[in-house]
């Protein structure tokens, strides 16, 4: 089996960092062509820096890291320092990156990469707001049909919202971008809060990361030590959910996840439910399915995979 070629579009974020580390630890299954940063959890100046910090932590720096859009398509940026800390990677003390940011814009990189590869060979993996992806689709409509698949973290249905009563953060930050992506016709796999809230870093699971005794293992344990305080207080859960690594775990072991191919629409106008992913889980409308919306995962299998792969870095 040849490794799947992907572009990771991200706003690190501790859980984004773990998702990137999992991808970089899995070269037999995943070929990272580049990483594109977007504003989200923290502003762009920090997300592009954090992406490079994570690559250096992994010791994998052979691909470019680009800075992308610094604001949503038509709204003011909403960030999440209350969850991720002022740097976005609060927890471990990690050195500033030595690798330079690639010259040029992330959107142009996405466009050029899709144009320069055979149709159906590039998977886009957005871990944050969908601004870069939507902008690329708007600027270069010809690339849309070339995308093999989009596997993204975002949205919620049964778990409702984590930034408003109805909306998940990534979709809420730029609902217009999400609307463009979900209406694009590209095959989409969605990792909503319904799945990611089941990927809980309990104390034994975090102890297993720390027990690896490596820079990566200890850093991941310190990241989850930091951001679990927010989720424990908010949800009364046993640990922090690792949202974004569900995306890269799916590329490696799709059998860990179960879901339904359904219609998902994005609310862009309501003040009350702005950014809601209206998922027709029970198929009560005649709207055509446009996304594989995941509903469950094998949490033990997920953490076994994550621990085994992080040990390789």
């Amino acid at each position: 089996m040849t490794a799947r070629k992907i572009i990771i579009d991200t706003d690190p974020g501790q859980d984004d960092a773990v998702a990137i580390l999992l991808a970089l630890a899995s070269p037999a299954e995943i070929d990272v062509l580049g990483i594109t940063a977007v504003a989200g959890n923290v502003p762009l100046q920090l997300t592009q820096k954090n992406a490079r910090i994570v690559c250096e932590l992994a010791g994998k720096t052979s691909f470019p890291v680009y800075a992308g859009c610094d604001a949503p398509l038509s709204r003011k940026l909403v960030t999440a320092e209350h969850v991720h800390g002022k740097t976005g990677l609060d927890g471990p003390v990690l050195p500033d990156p030595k690798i330079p940011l690639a010259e040029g814009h992330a959107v142009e990189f996405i466009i050029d990469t899709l144009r320069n590869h055979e149709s159906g060979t590039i998977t886009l993996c957005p871990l944050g707001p969908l601004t870069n992806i939507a902008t690329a689709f708007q600027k270069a409509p010809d690339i849309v049909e070339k995308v093999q698949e989009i596997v993204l973290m975002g949205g919620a249905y049964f778990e409702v919202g984590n930034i408003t009563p109805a909306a998940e953060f990534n979709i809420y930050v730029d609902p217009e971008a999400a609307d463009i992506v979900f209406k694009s016709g590209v095959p989409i796999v969605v990792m909503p809060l319904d799945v990611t809230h089941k990927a809980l870093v309990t104390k034994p699971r975090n102890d297993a990361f720390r027990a690896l005794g490596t820079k990566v293992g200890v850093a991941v344990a310190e990241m989850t030590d930091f951001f679990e305080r927010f989720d424990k207080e908010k949800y009364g859960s046993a640990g922090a959910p690792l949202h974004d690594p569900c995306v890269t775990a799916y590329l490696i072991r799709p059998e860990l996840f179960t879901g339904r191919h359904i219609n998902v629409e994005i609310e862009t106008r309501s003040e009350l439910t702005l950014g809601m992913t209206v998922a027709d889980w029970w198929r009560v409308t005649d709207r055509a399915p446009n996304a594989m919306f995941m509903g469950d995962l094998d949490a033990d299998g997920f953490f076994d995979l994550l621990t085994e792969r992080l040990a390789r870095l």
Side-chain angles (χ1 to χ4, degrees):
M1 188 182 78
T2 56
R4 191 162 177 175
K5 297 181 190 304
I6 73 167
I7 296 172
I8 298 175
D9 188 67
T10 181
D11 62 337
Q14 291 91 347
D15 59 319
D16 303 69
V18 180
I20 294 167
L21 292 169
L22 177 57
L24 297 181
S26 307
E29 295 91 355
I30 298 174
D31 178 10
V32 179
L33 301 181
I35 294 179
T36 53
V38 68
N41 285 323
V42 287
L44 181 68
Q45 186 176 4
L46 288 171
T47 61
Q48 55 89 353
K49 177 183 177 184
N50 291 348
R52 291 181 291 140
I53 288 172
V54 173
C55 294
E56 289 193 352
L57 174 64
K60 308 280 187 181
T61 58
S62 61
F63 47 83
V65 177
Y66 286 88
C69 298
D70 63 1
L73 294 182
S74 58
R75 296 180 186 272
K76 189 175 176 183
L77 178 65
V78 175
T79 55
E81 287 89 351
H82 62 290
V83 180
H84 299 280
K86 67 181 188 301
T87 69
L89 284 184
D90 281 21
V93 177
L94 297 170
D96 284 345
K98 294 192 174 87
I99 56 168
L101 197 61
E103 289 186 18
H105 197 283
V107 168
E108 296 304 326
F109 170 73
I110 292 167
I111 292 169
D112 291 345
T113 304
L114 283 162
R115 281 179 173 165
N116 292 330
H117 282 77
E118 237 180 282
S119 190
T121 61
I122 307 287
T123 296
L124 302 178
C125 297
L127 310 178
L130 290 160
T131 317
N132 284 342
I133 308 300
T135 303
F137 285 3
Q138 284 184 315
K139 287 188 74 170
D142 59 289
I143 67 171
V144 173
E145 65 181 17
K146 298 198 72 173
V147 180
Q148 179 180 358
E149 192 171 46
I150 294 172
V151 184
L152 67 90
M153 189 277 134
Y157 189 63
F158 295 103
E159 286 286 306
V160 293
N162 65 354
I163 188 69
T164 74
E168 178 276 330
F169 177 81
N170 286 345
I171 305 298
Y172 177 77
V173 169
D174 199 343
E176 285 76 19
D179 188 48
I180 288 167
V181 170
F182 275 83
K183 287 177 175 170
S184 68
V186 175
I188 298 174
V189 176
V190 185
M191 297 294 166
L193 298 182
D194 306 292
V195 162
T196 67
H197 278 178
K198 294 169 183 170
L200 287 178
V201 187
T202 57
K203 186 177 186 302
R205 288 167 176 166
N206 212 31
D207 288 346
F209 295 151
R210 190 174 275 106
L212 293 175
T214 60
K215 273 197 310 183
V216 167
V218 172
V220 168
E222 290 175 345
M223 287 180 202
T224 54
D225 280 342
F226 176 83
F227 81 93
E228 75 172 4
R229 88 223 178 281
F230 175 80
D231 291 283
K232 280 183 168 180
E233 185 179 326
K234 183 175 182 178
Y235 299 110
S237 58
L242 279 181
H243 305 285
D244 294 327
C246 290
V247 168
T248 37
Y250 173 80
L251 298 178
I252 301 164
R253 298 238 175 102
E255 66 274 12
L256 294 173
F257 300 86
T258 55
R260 291 185 183 181
H261 191 228
I262 59 170
N263 179 268
V264 180
E265 302 283 337
I266 310 299
E267 178 56 64
T268 59
R269 288 179 289 187
S270 167
E271 286 183 27
L272 196 61
T273 59
L274 181 69
M276 183 178 182
T277 44
V278 183
D280 186 10
W281 184 259
W282 302 114
R283 302 187 177 107
V284 294
T285 74
D286 58 2
R287 294 196 290 267
N290 63 343
M292 175 59 77
F293 200 82
M294 292 303 178
D296 205 358
L297 89 159
D298 171 358
D300 287 337
F302 172 83
F303 279 97
D304 287 347
L305 171 67
L306 192 50
T307 307
E308 182 259 315
R309 293 302 167 96
L310 293 179
R312 300 179 179 187
L313 295 174

